[in-house]
Amino acid sequence: MPVITIEGPQLSIEQKRELVQAVTESASNVMKMPKHSIIVMIKEIDRENVGVGGLLLSDKK
Amino acid sequence: MPVITIEGPQLSIEQKRELVQAVTESASNVMKMPKHSIIVMIKEIDRENVGVGGLLLSDKK
Amino acid sequence: MPVITIEGPQLSIEQKRELVQAVTESASNVMKMPKHSIIVMIKEIDRENVGVGGLLLSDKK
Amino acid sequence: MPVITIEGPQLSIEQKRELVQAVTESASNVMKMPKHSIIVMIKEIDRENVGVGGLLLSDKK
Amino acid sequence: MPVITIEGPQLSIEQKRELVQAVTESASNVMKMPKHSIIVMIKEIDRENVGVGGLLLSDKK
Amino acid sequence: MPVITIEGPQLSIEQKRELVQAVTESASNVMKMPKHSIIVMIKEIDRENVGVGGLLLSDKK
């Protein structure tokens, strides 16, 4: 614990490395908790499975 | 915000369009919030990954 | 199953009744599933615990 | 309801059966609720999408 | 990791102890993972915030 | 979208401001997405509701 879940678009492995490193760093500093206790989970969600304003992202230009 | 997450079976793209549109409409009306602020995320979960009553759905007739 | 989670602002009990009824109706119709199988969970989140664009909602006018 | 979500590594179908059965049993006994009311969702997350201590699991030996 | 989230009714601290112990035990055995790596989060949800079949649990007898 | 959920201990409002600002910054940079599209939700979980290694955090020294 803490557990940080990031739901967003498809990412490259390089982006995942960067994101996990940066978010863990921020959480560790702000929460004054050791990095090893921080879990980050990345959930890539297809545009076809996300709606904003009533429309699927995959249907938006 | 608000964020509405729908965890359920596999859906066709047409069903996803309908679901996102209808759920966004309901949330906007009831919560008195603009549709553009409402995010809907659809998470399709295989029957093999859902248990009800201690049994996997994929093991039920 | 399905499980629908609605994360948003504080709501009155009347709004909760309306939201659960409307969202269940939509999900049942679109997913062709019986209403009794549909679970809706409402999670009211304080403005102090939501950030949009890097700012807490409670810090926005 | 209750809804139990298990986010973890890839599992065999046999492991999923065992896990759903055991977790449903425990929840039913402790919460004094009928098994048929208990939903378990298994979410298998690739090692590339999990960070612990700022590193992706897939980058750890 | 793994992370197990249990969303359900209000529980006593004794029930929470029992539930965490039993669910961790099951997950550890089935997933062949050390207990210290298993996180369980209990989320108590008021009956007024749960809908089943389109009705709030707090409105059901 | 993206939606970032941070489940962890009680935080001061100052910590929440810092955390939302830092995590949004990181996500925006890495994902190449505008900050205004990034939602962060903070979920403070009591030690009595978190288990690690089969024990409640509130029962640990």
Side-chain angles (χ1 to χ4, degrees):
Chain A
M1 232 240 164
V3 176
I4 301 173
T5 304
I6 303 172
E7 295 166 296
Q10 304 287 334
L11 298 174
S12 68
I13 182 129
E14 201 38 58
Q15 286 178 301
K16 292 175 185 179
R17 282 193 187 106
E18 255 184 85
L19 197 51
V20 160
Q21 191 278 326
V23 166
T24 301
E25 186 87 27
S26 306
S28 175
N29 292 338
V30 173
M31 292 174 159
K32 310 277 186 285
M33 298 182 77
K35 288 186 195 171
H36 66 73
S37 71
I38 297 169
I39 292 177
V40 178
M41 291 194 278
I42 294 171
K43 300 193 174 179
E44 296 163 293
I45 305 184
D46 291 342
R47 294 171 60 80
E48 177 183 304
N49 287 331
V50 181
V52 177
L55 289 176
L56 297 182
L57 286 188
S58 55
D59 286 343
K60 292 190 175 199
K61 295 301 151 269
Chain B
M1 234 236 160
V3 176
I4 301 173
T5 306
I6 302 172
E7 295 165 297
Q10 303 288 335
L11 297 175
S12 69
I13 182 128
E14 200 39 58
Q15 286 179 302
K16 292 175 184 180
R17 283 195 187 104
E18 256 184 84
L19 196 54
V20 160
Q21 190 278 324
V23 166
T24 301
E25 186 87 27
S26 306
S28 176
N29 292 340
V30 173
M31 292 174 158
K32 310 277 187 283
M33 298 183 78
K35 287 186 195 173
H36 67 75
S37 70
I38 296 169
I39 293 177
V40 177
M41 291 194 280
I42 294 172
K43 300 192 174 178
E44 296 163 294
I45 306 185
D46 290 343
R47 293 172 61 82
E48 176 184 304
N49 288 330
V50 181
V52 177
L55 289 174
L56 296 182
L57 286 188
S58 56
D59 287 341
K60 293 190 175 200
K61 298 297 155 271
Chain C
M1 234 236 160
V3 176
I4 300 173
T5 305
I6 302 171
E7 295 165 297
Q10 304 287 335
L11 298 174
S12 69
I13 182 123
E14 200 39 57
Q15 286 178 301
K16 292 175 184 179
R17 283 195 187 103
E18 253 184 270
L19 197 52
V20 160
Q21 190 279 325
V23 165
T24 302
E25 185 88 27
S26 306
S28 176
N29 292 338
V30 173
M31 293 173 157
K32 309 282 186 280
M33 298 183 77
K35 289 186 193 172
H36 68 73
S37 70
I38 297 169
I39 293 177
V40 178
M41 291 194 279
I42 294 171
K43 299 192 174 179
E44 296 164 295
I45 305 184
D46 290 343
R47 293 172 60 80
E48 177 183 305
N49 287 331
V50 180
V52 176
L55 288 175
L56 297 183
L57 287 188
S58 54
D59 286 342
K60 294 190 173 200
K61 296 297 154 270
Chain D
M1 231 235 164
V3 176
I4 300 173
T5 305
I6 302 171
E7 295 166 297
Q10 303 288 334
L11 298 175
S12 69
I13 182 130
E14 199 41 55
Q15 286 179 301
K16 292 175 185 179
R17 283 195 187 104
E18 254 184 271
L19 196 52
V20 160
Q21 191 278 325
V23 165
T24 301
E25 185 87 27
S26 306
S28 176
N29 292 340
V30 173
M31 292 173 159
K32 309 281 186 281
M33 298 182 78
K35 288 186 193 173
H36 67 74
S37 71
I38 296 168
I39 293 176
V40 178
M41 291 194 279
I42 294 171
K43 299 191 174 178
E44 296 164 294
I45 305 184
D46 290 343
R47 293 172 60 82
E48 176 183 303
N49 288 331
V50 180
V52 177
L55 288 175
L56 296 183
L57 286 189
S58 55
D59 286 342
K60 292 190 175 201
K61 296 298 153 272
Chain E
M1 231 240 161
V3 176
I4 301 174
T5 306
I6 303 171
E7 294 165 298
Q10 304 287 335
L11 298 174
S12 68
I13 184 134
E14 200 40 57
Q15 286 179 300
K16 292 176 184 178
R17 283 194 187 104
E18 252 185 270
L19 196 52
V20 160
Q21 191 278 325
V23 165
T24 302
E25 185 88 27
S26 306
S28 175
N29 291 339
V30 173
M31 292 174 158
K32 309 281 186 281
M33 298 183 79
K35 287 186 196 173
H36 67 74
S37 71
I38 297 169
I39 293 177
V40 178
M41 291 193 279
I42 294 172
K43 300 194 174 178
E44 297 163 294
I45 306 184
D46 290 342
R47 293 172 61 81
E48 176 182 306
N49 288 331
V50 181
V52 177
L55 289 175
L56 297 182
L57 286 189
S58 55
D59 286 344
K60 293 190 174 200
K61 296 299 152 271
Chain F
M1 233 241 163
V3 176
I4 301 173
T5 305
I6 302 171
E7 294 166 299
Q10 304 287 334
L11 297 175
S12 68
I13 183 135
E14 201 39 58
Q15 286 178 301
K16 293 175 184 178
R17 283 195 188 103
E18 253 184 272
L19 197 52
V20 159
Q21 191 278 325
V23 165
T24 302
E25 186 88 28
S26 306
S28 176
N29 292 339
V30 173
M31 292 174 159
K32 310 279 185 279
M33 299 183 76
K35 287 185 193 173
H36 66 75
S37 71
I38 297 170
I39 293 176
V40 178
M41 290 194 279
I42 295 171
K43 299 191 175 179
E44 297 163 295
I45 305 184
D46 290 342
R47 292 172 62 79
E48 177 183 303
N49 288 332
V50 181
V52 177
L55 288 175
L56 297 183
L57 286 188
S58 55
D59 286 343
K60 293 190 175 199
K61 296 298 153 272

